[in-house]
Amino acid sequence: MPETSARVGIVVRTKDRPMFLERALADIRRQTMHAWRAVVVNDGGDAAAVDRVVQGLPEPDRARTAVIHRTEGLGRSAAANAGVLALQTEFVVLHDDDDLWDPTFLEASVAWLDREPADAGVVSRTEIVYERVEGGRIVETGREPFWGEMTRITYADMLQVNRFVPIAYMYRRQLHDEVGLYREDVHAAEDWEFNLRVLRLHTIGYASDRVRAYWMQRRGQEGVLGNSMFVLADEHDLYDRMIRDEALRSYVAANGDGLPLYLARFVQDEVERQLAAQRSLGRYATEAARKGWRRLRGR
């Protein structure tokens, strides 16, 4: 299929995980919508292993799958940007090498964005799939909903914590022209920071009708086969705090420190009040139980 017919650009970030890369490319090939182009970004891993996987694709799919080899690993954000910059498609989605889609993901996401032109992107309902690697095989061990109670994507909710993962999110490529690329100085939580920039200006839709994205997790798996969510847990916390501190300092520079000073003390006092109330309730319950026990013994 010629590139001019591709509406969706798929960025596949990978490094030294040919088993997952092969599964990810097979997942893309199973999509019911075929108007896509993929860019595999090898972030400093074994180039020969990546080339073997891509060369193993059927010719039509191999022709629309490009590969970018980076001689050194520059991180998740830089890899995402390299893929985005190589694409000129209408829509973009990040398909990391270890995650998966329902076969209708592309078709349903494009249909949503065609139907809802005001939405900057659309998130699909997501399921967490637990798995482990055993003797060269990937074995599923369980599933659970990811934010199963969620009904929409809001900026207010995203201020608390990221409500969706890259595999579930298709967005309009022009957003990068408007709000910029992924921040390359943020090596974890880069998607959350980008999402916040988008949500300040636009709405993001939520396709809740069925699960179409699968966030694969391997708890306890260390090294190259681990999930960034766990392997980079400390970095996620570091960059979460950094992003919040930058935003706070920016707010104070423009508005003064009155409101943050007030809220910092208010939150501290409210937490202490609630803890004290819980301790009082606990003492009351304990004393009531003791009195009841004394009455029973006195009979």
Side-chain angles (χ1 to χ4, degrees), residues 124-194:
S124 289
R125 183 175 291 280
T126 304
E127 194 169 61
I128 298 172
V129 179
Y130 297 106
E131 61 184 13
R132 63 175 180 264
V133 179
E134 292 183 348
R137 295 188 309 117
I138 304 170
V139 180
E140 181 179 323
T141 60
R143 297 187 178 212
E144 67 174 291
F146 180 58
W147 294 110
E149 75 284 2
M150 188 166 67
T151 59
R152 57 191 302 224
I153 304 295
T154 68
Y155 181 61
D157 286 340
M158 288 288 285
L159 289 174
Q160 296 177 328
V161 65
N162 203 2
R163 297 288 173 139
F164 56 91
V165 286
I167 191 65
Y169 180 42
M170 180 184 291
Y171 60 93
R172 302 183 193 277
R173 169 67 176 77
Q174 67 188 30
L175 285 177
H176 288 296
D177 299 327
E178 183 178 3
V179 305
L181 294 165
Y182 294 97
R183 278 182 54 174
E184 297 193 6
D185 62 332
V186 176
H187 299 294
E190 76 286 346
D191 53 324
W192 176 57
E193 192 278 334
F194 175 71

Side-chain angles (χ1 to χ4, degrees), residues 244-259:
R244 293 179 191 279
D245 194 62
E246 287 179 351
L248 179 61
R249 286 187 283 111
S250 177
Y251 177 88
V252 167
N255 300 282
D257 57 6
L259 181 60

Side-chain angles (χ1 to χ4, degrees), residues 247-272:
L248 179 61
R249 286 187 283 111
S250 177
Y251 177 88
V252 167
N255 300 282
D257 57 6
L259 181 60
L261 277 173
Y262 172 80
L263 288 176
R265 183 54 187 261
F266 174 82
V267 170
Q268 178 183 353
D269 290 346
E270 180 62 17
V271 169
E272 290 177 354

